[in-house]
Amino acid sequence: MLLSYAGLKPYTDTAYHNEELKSLTRYHFAKVKERAQLKRSVSRSACILFPELKRLVPIFHMASVYALLSEFPIPTKSLKLQHTIRLIRELDAEIWEIEAANQAIMEEFHSPITTIPGIGYRMGTMIWPRSGSFPVLIPLTSCWPMRGCLPPTYQSGQLKNCYPHMEKRYCQ
């Protein structure tokens, strides 16, 4: 079997970390999506059970509001609300663990992507594994499309480009 696949390449540490970061990023997005769905459920339930609460607090998803909602007597809908709040807190803890694991991988591998202004660990874990490893620190101008900061296009001729719009194109 090994002889039939003569063109195999070794699995490098870079490829392993890239796949691990991709997997963790997908898992992170799934958990955030699940938490958002639970937060919508809390908002709906809180509006039904406590309609006056919406006028008193700016958002429902604060620790103090969750503590307040968790302390009420336990009718059926309130019990559902308490369980949903407990699930949101558990998901928050899981999301923090995933983000810590992503940051540890980025620090271990000394990725230069986080040296670009405006790109932290969270954004770096999304960009770096998909763009491949950067063997050298690439010029900042070639990363502008990833950051959404492309300079406007200036053309000669009769074009008056007074108010340029954001351009969507990728690095070459």
Side-chain angles (χ1 to χ4, degrees):
M1 183 173 163
L2 289 175
L3 290 176
S4 65
Y5 295 108
L8 292 177
K9 295 179 183 176
Y11 201 64
T12 63
D13 284 343
T14 306
Y16 172 75
H17 287 299
N18 284 350
E19 292 303 317
E20 190 172 8
L21 279 174
K22 282 181 188 178
S23 175
L24 281 173
T25 304
R26 288 182 190 122
Y27 186 58
H28 179 267
F29 278 123
K31 289 295 181 180
V32 169
K33 187 176 180 180
E34 185 180 348
R35 181 181 63 182
Q37 185 177 9
L38 289 173
K39 283 184 174 185
R40 285 190 298 272
S41 175
V42 165
S43 296
R44 280 192 307 269
S45 297
C47 284
I48 291 169
L49 292 171
F50 311 103
E52 66 279 352
L53 188 62
K54 189 174 185 177
R55 287 180 279 148
L56 298 175
V57 294
I59 56 173
F60 289 123
H61 310 294
M62 299 186 306
S64 58
V65 175
Y66 283 170
L68 179 70
L69 293 174
S70 297
E71 292 297 322
F72 279 97
I74 310 190
T76 307
K77 289 188 178 189
S78 180
L79 183 62
K80 178 185 173 188
L81 183 65
Q82 289 175 358
H83 288 179
T84 307
I85 290 172
R86 190 177 314 133
L87 286 173
I88 289 173
R89 288 178 178 158
E90 289 173 13
L91 282 172
D92 283 339
E94 290 175 10
I95 289 169
W96 280 106
E97 285 180 38
I98 295 167
E99 288 176 356
N102 279 341
Q103 185 171 350
I105 291 170
M106 294 290 282
E107 286 176 355
E108 175 187 335
F109 218 15
H110 306 293
S111 170
I113 193 78
T114 56
T115 60
I116 298 171
I119 297 181
Y121 285 105
R122 186 177 293 164
M123 185 63 68
T125 57
M126 289 184 264
I127 295 172
W128 187 58
R130 285 156 183 81
S131 61
S133 63
F134 293 103
V136 294
L137 187 59
I138 55 178
L140 185 61
T141 55
S142 65
C143 284
W144 281 350
M146 287 187 261
R147 296 176 57 211
C149 299
L150 273 179
T153 303
Y154 294 102
Q155 299 175 353
S156 62
Q158 299 297 319
L159 176 68
K160 292 184 181 180
N161 198 2
C162 298
Y163 302 103
H165 299 285
M166 180 67 69
E167 294 185 21
K168 304 227 184 221
R169 61 180 184 203
Y170 297 98
C171 290
Q172 297 292 332

